[in-house]
Amino acid sequence: MKDKNMILAGLVVFIVVITFPFWFNMGKAAPAPELELTAKAKAAKTCVMPTAFMTAEHMQLLDVWRHNVVRSGERMFVNADGKLFDMSLSNTCLDCHSNKEKFCDRCHDYASVDPYCWDCHIDNPKGE
Amino acid sequence: MNKNYMVSLIAVIVLFLIAYVGTQQGAGLQLVFGIIIPYLAVILFVVGFIRRVMGWSRSAVPFQITTTCGQQPSLPWFKQAKIDNPSSTFFVIIRMFLEIVCFRSLFRNSRMKLNGGTKLTYQLEIFLWVGALAFHYAFFTVVVRHLRFFTEPVPFFVTLLEKVDSFMRIEVLYDAIQSGLPGVYMSGLVLLAATLYLFLRRVLIPQVRYISLAADFFPLFLIMGIALSGIFMRYFTKVDIVAIKELTMGLVTFRPTIPEGVSGLFYAHMFLVSILLAYFPFSKLMHLAGIFLSPTRNMTGNTRQVRYVNPWNYPVKVHTYDEYEDDFREKMIDAGLPVVKMPEEQP
């Protein structure tokens, strides 16, 4: 029957659309990206907070830092171990992680995140 | 208190807790909730969906039962409502398209009310239409946005949608509540708000509450649970997004892995989504396919131009007037009744 063919055609289109992730990635492995730490970052061993916290919550930390510096003029951050840090993306974060392409961007690209840090900050303040 | 929504609410909470507790340290059911159940859910969704639609395709559609909402084609000086009373396939397609993307028949929703106790009035009741539009488009956006976890590289339309969706930059930085992720997705919030509205509508309007069953509340709570757990993971209890994408990419590339450091909240979120997928073909949510097959919308209203004969009409045995007269001619003449055919004179 004519209707039955139409319904079948619609069903085929639907199945093709919803299985998009399966055929789009066919035969491609997509492992999590490897991050490269600079020599300075390796030597420091820990970031301002523990690694597990940093992977999940660095955006929140940076946002709070920005708020504190821009709105309240506070520049000092004390971490759980009592160590002092300057709340600065360019001077603290990028001091160790000076390899944005091999550190920040790898995960951000993988997770399709486009942070607007770099609208204002230059990614290599030391010009290395 | 109503058992229909209490049962649904408890069911969703229990499902959430099962997955949350089951993937904590010690229980270690990550393999079940991260790989086995999602695959089973997708299989159930696809197979169940096909079976349901194929079942519908076998049902009989003998007549044109279009609901017409305007002037049908008539004499040339009457203007036909071509979309609301389509007489050709082209306008049926336009009507269906508008129905699916704008919910036009829901827009016509009206509320009957006695005005001053005696006068019956019909009022335009637009809120269900607004809520439904908000809900469906928000849900669609959320689903498309989630493709970023299921594709590598992420296609441009997903990135574009993310950019538009996170157009508003909002940050909440109080001591009591902190959300330091300025890229706030509007669709997630709209989805939650619209689901909440659709739920409250079912509870607060007595007539709607009367016809609401557990099958109406369960999907609403399920979607609320999904939206809430998603919002929590994104803005409040942060999760390791790269590990999660490793897991989801493993699923779609058929190389399933369970990475370290994926939180229980994510497994609960994914478990609720799996439940939604598995439940889909057996529920009212099948209106996703049903809308395309609604005979009152997808047929032409041309019953005055074209004669439709029931395809399975069998030849009915009839006894015509001529045969009747043949049976009773003499008696009719005797009784003085007129007959069509006079009997031949006997010589």
Side-chain angles (χ1 to χ4, degrees):
Chain A
M1 260 165 55
K2 204 171 127 236
D3 284 355
K4 216 161 196 173
N5 292 342
M6 289 281 281
I7 293 171
L8 262 177
L11 207 51
V12 169
V13 169
F14 176 73
I15 298 297
V16 168
V17 170
I18 60 156
T19 52
F20 170 75
F22 291 101
W23 51 260
F24 183 81
N25 299 301
M26 191 99 81
K28 284 184 281 184
E34 297 278 324
L35 297 189
E36 272 180 36
L37 292 175
T38 55
K40 194 165 183 185
K42 271 183 198 155
K45 290 247 169 38
T46 53
C47 199
V48 297
M49 295 289 261
T51 312
F53 178 90
M54 290 310 289
T55 26
E57 307 225 13
H58 62 276
M59 63 299 270
Q60 170 110 13
L61 184 89
L62 286 172
D63 204 59
V64 174
W65 279 18
R66 180 182 65 175
H67 182 84
N68 287 353
V69 170
V70 177
R71 309 276 171 203
S72 324
E74 293 168 26
R75 297 213 72 109
M76 278 336 241
F77 173 74
V78 189
N79 75 0
D81 300 334
K83 271 178 94 178
L84 280 175
F85 292 96
D86 184 17
M87 289 192 204
S88 166
L89 176 70
S90 302
N91 297 334
T92 306
C93 305
L94 293 181
D95 187 33
C96 289
H97 303 294
S98 52
N99 51 345
K100 173 174 171 280
E101 289 79 26
K102 287 171 185 166
F103 188 77
C104 307
D105 289 351
R106 287 213 172 148
C107 284
H108 288 160
D109 289 347
Y110 186 66
S112 174
V113 179
D114 185 19
Y116 61 111
C117 310
W118 321 109
D119 288 3
C120 301
H121 290 269
I122 50 169
D123 56 11
N124 191 357
K126 284 188 268 179
E128 281 168 4
Chain B
M1 213 59 146
N2 174 314
K3 72 173 190 326
N4 284 330
Y5 66 74
M6 283 316 287
V7 165
S8 309
L9 180 61
I10 291 167
V12 171
I13 292 173
V14 168
L15 288 170
F16 180 89
L17 288 177
I18 288 174
Y20 189 77
V21 173
T23 50
Q24 293 304 301
Q25 294 278 311
L29 291 171
Q30 275 86 342
L31 188 73
V32 176
F33 290 104
I35 294 171
I36 297 173
I37 289 177
Y39 272 132
L40 283 180
V42 170
I43 293 169
L44 212 55
F45 174 73
V46 172
V47 174
F49 199 97
I50 292 173
R51 273 183 58 101
R52 196 80 189 266
V53 174
M54 289 319 286
W56 287 338
S57 81
R58 278 190 290 274
S59 45
V61 188
F63 298 121
Q64 303 287 97
I65 53 166
T66 330
T67 1
T68 56
C69 311
Q71 174 65 47
Q72 66 173 335
S74 178
L75 295 165
W77 57 87
F78 288 116
K79 196 169 172 228
Q80 183 199 354
K82 285 197 162 136
I83 292 170
D84 283 320
N85 195 339
S87 53
S88 65
T89 313
F90 176 72
F91 284 102
V92 167
I93 291 171
I94 290 185
R95 188 190 199 198
M96 285 299 291
F97 177 78
L98 291 174
E99 178 67 34
I100 288 161
V101 301
C102 306
F103 308 168
R104 287 177 84 229
S105 55
L106 200 55
F107 182 72
R108 293 202 181 87
N109 185 27
S110 60
R111 173 176 288 167
M112 195 164 59
K113 207 173 167 187
L114 277 177
N115 220 354
T118 50
K119 208 171 159 208
L120 189 62
T121 55
Y122 296 91
Q123 293 171 347
L124 187 64
E125 215 285 294
I126 205 172
F127 295 106
L128 176 61
W129 176 73
V130 171
L133 267 185
F135 170 80
H136 283 88
Y137 276 100
F139 206 160
F140 180 71
T141 311
V142 168
V143 168
V144 173
R145 234 178 46 206
H146 274 73
L147 282 176
R148 79 178 166 118
F149 297 115
F150 297 97
T151 49
E152 179 62 34
V154 180
F156 75 97
F157 63 89
V158 179
T159 333
L160 186 71
L161 189 68
E162 279 177 339
K163 290 244 169 72
V164 174
D165 199 4
S166 63
F167 174 73
M168 299 281 189
R169 300 282 180 196
I170 302 167
E171 51 184 12
V172 183
L173 295 175
Y174 298 108
D175 289 336
I177 180 168
Q178 273 203 347
S179 165
L181 190 65
V184 170
Y185 285 136
M186 300 302 284
S187 57
L189 302 178
V190 172
L191 176 66
L192 188 62
T195 323
L196 211 59
Y197 164 71
L198 293 177
F199 165 67
L200 287 177
R201 172 184 159 270
R202 284 195 180 274
V203 176
L204 296 180
I205 303 175
Q207 292 93 328
V208 187
R209 185 171 60 218
Y210 184 70
I211 57 163
S212 297
L213 302 172
D216 298 310
F217 289 116
F218 181 66
L220 284 176
F221 284 127
L222 204 55
I223 292 164
M224 263 187 240
I226 291 167
L228 268 177
S229 53
I231 287 171
F232 254 81
M233 274 193 290
R234 185 173 165 84
Y235 305 106
F236 300 110
T237 65
K238 299 282 197 300
V239 288
D240 184 353
I241 214 81
V242 171
I244 286 172
K245 184 159 180 180
E246 202 182 348
L247 191 153
T248 51
M249 284 309 292
L251 290 177
V252 292
T253 53
F254 301 106
R255 296 175 177 83
T257 51
I258 298 288
E260 285 291 308
V262 179
S263 73
L265 190 56
F266 168 76
Y267 286 110
H269 180 72
M270 194 153 81
F271 183 57
L272 291 186
V273 175
S274 304
I275 296 287
L276 185 69
L277 280 178
Y279 174 68
F280 201 98
F282 310 99
S283 67
K284 62 183 253 181
L285 302 174
M286 273 306 283
H287 69 265
L288 168 64
I291 182 84
F292 290 92
L293 303 182
S294 21
T296 57
R297 304 283 139 188
N298 67 10
M299 293 184 141
T300 48
N302 58 356
T303 42
R304 299 237 170 142
Q305 292 105 319
V306 183
R307 179 158 187 242
Y308 290 91
V309 179
N310 187 349
W312 63 81
N313 269 356
Y314 53 88
V316 179
K317 196 174 175 334
V318 289
H319 197 66
T320 62
Y321 179 75
D322 291 337
E323 288 161 344
Y324 169 85
E325 205 182 272
D326 287 345
D327 292 346
F328 298 106
R329 189 165 291 110
E330 274 76 45
K331 290 191 177 75
M332 288 169 80
I333 292 167
D334 289 348
L337 291 171
V339 288
V340 175
K341 212 163 94 186
M342 285 304 284
E344 281 168 30
E345 299 281 324
Q346 294 297 321

